[in-house]
Each structure stands twice: as C-alpha cells, then as structure tokens.
Amino acid sequence: MRLAVAYRGELYVFGGYNARLNRHFQDLWKYTPESGGWQRVDVQGKGPCARRRQCCCTVGDKILLFGGTSPSQDQDPQDEFYLMDHSDLYILDFSPSLKTLCKLSVIHHNLDQSCLPHDIRWELSAMTTNSNISRPLLSSHG
C-alpha cells in the first residue's frame, strides 16, 4: 500500500510496501487524471529512504512527508525484520526560493561553507543531519 496526496489537480504517491515481494519503496509517482497517465518524478536533493506508514500533507506549494517505518539497515532482507520508526521531515517544494536553490547547490557540490553566515551554515546542517531519534522495534510484516 502507498500513501497519496493531491496537489493542484494531480495525485502524488510516495513509497509503500509490497508484502508479496517483501519490499519497501522510495519512489515518487504523479498521476494526472486528465491524461489518465502515471509519471515517475525525479527530485533534487536527498530524499527519504524506502518506507511505509508515513504521513503527507500539502502546505502552499510544498508537500510535507513525515515519519513512517522501514526495515533496519543491519539485517538480512530474508529474515524476520525489525522496523525503524522515523521522526524525520522531508519537503517537496514546487516553488523553491533562490536561497533554497543556492543551499542545495552548496550541498550537492560539497562547497566550502566556512565563509557563509552562521544562520546559513546552521540551515545547511539541519538539511543534511540525520534526524532519526528512535530505535528499531520487532514487528510483523503487516
């Protein structure tokens, strides 16, 4: 099952879990009702890991994705798995500011940040720091 959110007459679907394949997804798709077609959406920046049970909503020109669960990274995919609860937030911004585009460029090209103002360095750190605060919990495949 995958979670969907509507934005400007289109439907966006991210991630999900297929129990038959025992596989979590981290892809983003857009459905356009007028054409009846699906299109994979490629985004810039670091996106969320494969997950299910996340929460999404729209705020202005942004889709916010919060939380969800995914398998712990240190396990064999064939074993009974531990689910990691996420408490992270990702934003898909359809109208990013010039400031946001510049910060993404600094991150993407691994540019020197030492000459930047303190508040910009803090924002860059917040954009790139892992925010997981929970530990894996034993769970069934459901």
Side-chain angles (χ1 to χ4, degrees):
M1 175 175 267
R2 293 178 177 230
L3 178 77
V5 63
Y7 174 75
R8 292 196 175 180
E10 297 175 313
L11 191 63
Y12 289 82
V13 178
F14 173 81
Y17 175 69
N18 183 318
R20 282 184 271 156
L21 300 174
N22 189 25
R23 181 170 174 219
H24 286 78
F25 296 93
Q26 70 182 109
D27 50 350
L28 178 64
W29 291 84
K30 174 177 73 170
Y31 176 73
T32 306
E34 290 175 0
S35 67
W38 288 93
Q39 178 181 357
R40 186 177 180 131
V41 179
D42 293 318
V43 297
Q44 293 185 359
K46 182 182 176 205
C49 66
R51 63 183 66 198
R52 60 180 162 166
R53 301 176 182 159
Q54 64 273 9
C55 175
C56 289
C57 66
T58 57
V59 177
D61 286 333
K62 297 173 177 64
I63 295 178
L64 285 67
L65 179 146
F66 175 78
T69 60
S70 61
S72 179
Q73 299 298 328
D74 49 339
Q75 67 188 25
D76 185 332
Q78 301 304 317
D79 293 341
E80 177 75 12
F81 58 84
Y82 291 89
L83 290 177
M84 172 70 75
D85 289 328
H86 299 287
S87 58
D88 49 5
L89 175 70
Y90 288 87
I91 300 171
L92 177 58
D93 191 345
F94 290 98
S95 299
S97 67
L98 180 57
K99 180 180 177 183
T100 297
L101 293 172
C102 289
K103 288 187 290 186
L104 289 172
S105 186
V106 167
I107 292 166
H108 178 74
H109 296 289
N110 199 26
L111 301 176
D112 178 25
Q113 300 177 20
S114 63
C115 62
L116 298 174
H118 180 269
D119 61 325
I120 301 293
R121 289 194 317 265
W122 183 89
E123 291 172 12
L124 289 165
S125 175
M127 291 172 71
T128 57
T129 301
N130 186 341
S131 63
N132 287 337
I133 59 172
S134 60
R135 62 177 184 245
L137 302 172
L138 182 59
S139 175
S140 67
H141 291 279

